[in-house]
């Protein structure tokens, strides 16, 4: 085998590895986005159950956890640090009278940990945008 043939084989392996890494990163980002949507819906349902019991939405997500609520409305791991999960930053904002809320999930680094920004509220409808900004209730609805 000559040096040129060896270089060609190495170049082919490098191209295959690059394609594989790109596909792996894309799959990871898709998985993180799905995880964010699942957590968004889980937390929104926990807020609904809390509302049924207390006639108000919780003041924060820690209230849904086992240290404050018995039985807990949320899994201890999610209630302990709901702000940062799998590349997404979660932000919960109740309205002042606690009769409505907004829950956002934004990628920590847009384009790296996720492309979509999500929003849900007391209606449990999930809105999203692919732009690097917070999702609004006027954005597309996730099926």
């Amino acid at each position: 085998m000559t040096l040129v043939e060896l270089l060609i084989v190495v170049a082919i392996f490098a191209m295959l590895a690059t394609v594989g890494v790109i596909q792996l990163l894309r799959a990871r980002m898709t998985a993180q986005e799905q995880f964010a949507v699942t957590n968004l819906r889980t937390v929104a349902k926990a807020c609904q159950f809390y509302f049924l019991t207390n006639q108000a939405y919780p003041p924060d997500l820690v209230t849904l956890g086992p240290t404050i609520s018995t039985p807990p409305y949320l899994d201890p791991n999610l209630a302990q640090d709901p702000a940062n999960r799998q590349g997404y930053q979660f932000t919960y904002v109740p309205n002042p009278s606690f009769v409505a809320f907004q829950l956002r999930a934004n990628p920590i680094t847009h384009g790296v940990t996720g492309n979509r920004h999500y929003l849900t509220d007391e209606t449990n409808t999930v809105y999203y945008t692919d732009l690097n900004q917070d999702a609004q209730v006027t954005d597309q609805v996730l099926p």
Side-chain angles (χ1 to χ4, degrees), residues 73-90:
Y73 295 91
L74 274 179
D75 176 83
N77 293 329
L78 187 57
Q80 183 179 16
D81 183 17
N84 183 1
R85 288 283 167 208
Q86 290 292 101
Y88 269 78
Q89 179 77 30
F90 286 79

Side-chain angles (χ1 to χ4, degrees), residues 40-110:
L40 202 66
R41 289 183 170 152
T42 300
V43 172
K45 287 179 184 176
C47 290
Q48 293 294 344
F49 288 129
Y50 185 92
F51 184 85
L52 290 173
T53 304
N54 301 290
Q55 286 69 52
Y57 288 105
D60 53 39
L61 296 183
V62 176
T63 304
L64 300 172
T67 56
I68 297 177
S69 295
T70 305
Y73 295 91
L74 274 179
D75 176 83
N77 293 329
L78 187 57
Q80 183 179 16
D81 183 17
N84 183 1
R85 288 283 167 208
Q86 290 292 101
Y88 269 78
Q89 179 77 30
F90 286 79
T91 308
Y92 173 79
V93 180
N95 79 347
S97 60
F98 298 105
V99 294
F101 70 89
Q102 287 191 337
L103 179 63
R104 297 182 187 282
N106 292 319
I108 292 172
T109 307
H110 182 81

